[in-house]
Amino acid sequence: MPPITSVAAIIPMRHNSERIPYKNFRDFRGRPLYAHIIETLIRCKHIDEILIDTDSQTIRDDCAQRFPAVRVTERPEHLRDGGIPMNRVLQHSATSVASEWILQTHSTNPLLRPATLERAIEALSESTQHDSLFGVTEWHTRLYDHHGQPINHNPAQLLRTQDLPPIYEENSNVYLFHRSTLERLGRRIGDHPLLFEIDRLEAVDIDDDTGWRLAEAIAHMQEQQQQQHQQETQS
């Protein structure tokens, strides 16, 4: 693959969502939810351009005031249905950015850190074996399919969970790929992807009300820890 010389960040945002109405601009810790990931991308030193793809006039207007340097494109009508695959949305969005390498993330990842995105870009840049990257969460746990059959363990053996081979959840926090991968394969994950591990607390993805409350609780805990650290260093 070509070297990573510049990276465009694309963030798809719909005006409404089925499980949490209007979540992208709902207040999260004092700011609209989408603002948190935009602030993270702005602070990421390897990101050269940021593009929001949306059908929301609310997001367009708010972003123009909060983040004037961020570009916003209007999603065409035929790509607005919630059942449209994300790869099709990205194929359209990619035509609006100049960079050959694209990083895609979501507004529903408010705890994602700039340093994590920087590490992801550096990891793929240094790799000679991988053509793309996506974020994963590592789990050591016993899983079953919908028939009650074990997926990743032998109940007769009953290894300790920490001794089980790790399994990886695609956590939707970050995807990094070359434009040609999207054009050639029609998808953001290439033939030889790098699985990039992200800490479980940082990787929380808000997909429903439980995820929202969990993300808020983690953010509150982190703020308290930061305040305590500042007090200790000042005393």
Side-chain angles (χ1 to χ4, degrees):
M1 297 297 292
I4 300 179
T5 55
S6 66
V7 178
I10 295 178
I11 315 93
M13 299 183 197
R14 294 176 62 226
H15 182 73
N16 198 8
S17 57
E18 296 175 2
R19 281 176 281 196
I20 305 180
Y22 311 112
K23 68 179 177 182
N24 285 325
F25 46 89
R26 176 178 166 182
D27 182 85
F28 182 89
R29 310 296 295 170
R31 298 188 301 285
L33 177 63
Y34 88 92
H36 293 265
I37 194 64
I38 298 301
E39 291 167 358
T40 294
L41 291 167
I42 289 174
R43 296 199 301 270
C44 180
K45 62 184 179 182
H46 298 317
I47 299 294
D48 299 283
E49 54 181 324
I50 301 173
L51 176 77
I52 294 176
D53 175 298
T54 185
D55 63 342
S56 174
Q57 186 64 48
T58 301
I59 291 175
R60 286 197 293 270
D61 293 343
D62 191 77
C63 184
Q65 293 186 359
R66 292 178 185 270
F67 309 108
V70 173
R71 289 198 299 124
V72 183
T73 59
E74 184 173 1
R75 186 175 302 182
E77 192 70 35
H78 70 280
L79 294 176
R80 293 185 180 186
D81 185 86
I84 298 295
M86 181 53 61
N87 286 320
R88 284 185 56 191
V89 174
L90 288 173
Q91 285 175 313
H92 174 265
S93 302
T95 63
S96 298
V97 296
S99 300
E100 293 297 304
W101 285 93
I102 297 169
L103 183 147
Q104 188 238 318
T105 184
H106 292 283
S107 58
T108 50
N109 309 138
L111 306 180
L112 193 58
R113 301 185 179 117
T116 300
L117 294 179
E118 291 169 3
R119 286 194 299 106
I121 295 170
E122 291 164 4
L124 186 57
S125 180
E126 294 167 1
S127 174
T128 59
Q129 302 175 353
H130 303 94
D131 59 1
S132 53
L133 172 150
F134 65 96
V136 298
T137 304
E138 181 181 283
W139 293 92
H140 288 265
T141 189
R142 302 186 187 96
L143 295 179
Y144 295 80
D145 65 19
H146 65 288
H147 295 297
Q149 297 300 309
I151 293 175
N152 65 327
H153 67 285
N154 183 351
Q157 190 177 10
L158 204 62
L159 290 175
R160 298 182 305 170
T161 53
Q162 61 263 42
D163 295 329
L164 290 173
I167 55 174
Y168 297 95
E169 171 194 6
E170 181 181 337
N171 58 35
S172 297
N173 273 232
V174 57
Y175 299 88
L176 183 59
F177 51 92
H178 192 266
R179 181 190 302 275
S180 63
T181 298
L182 192 62
E183 295 171 346
R184 179 173 57 89
L185 301 176
R187 62 178 191 256
R188 60 191 173 187
I189 297 177
D191 293 322
H192 306 287
L194 172 61
L195 276 62
F196 181 75
E197 293 183 38
I198 301 176
D199 179 80
R200 195 176 303 173
L201 295 182
E202 182 181 356
V204 169
D205 180 64
I206 298 177
D207 196 40
D208 52 23
D209 187 63
T210 298
W212 185 284
R213 288 186 283 127
L214 178 60
E216 280 195 318
I218 295 172
H220 179 66
M221 176 193 69
Q222 291 174 342
E223 289 173 6
Q224 287 186 319
Q225 291 176 339
Q226 185 177 15
Q227 291 174 0
Q228 182 178 357
H229 176 71
Q230 290 175 346
Q231 291 175 353
E232 291 174 351
T233 54
Q234 293 173 359
S235 62

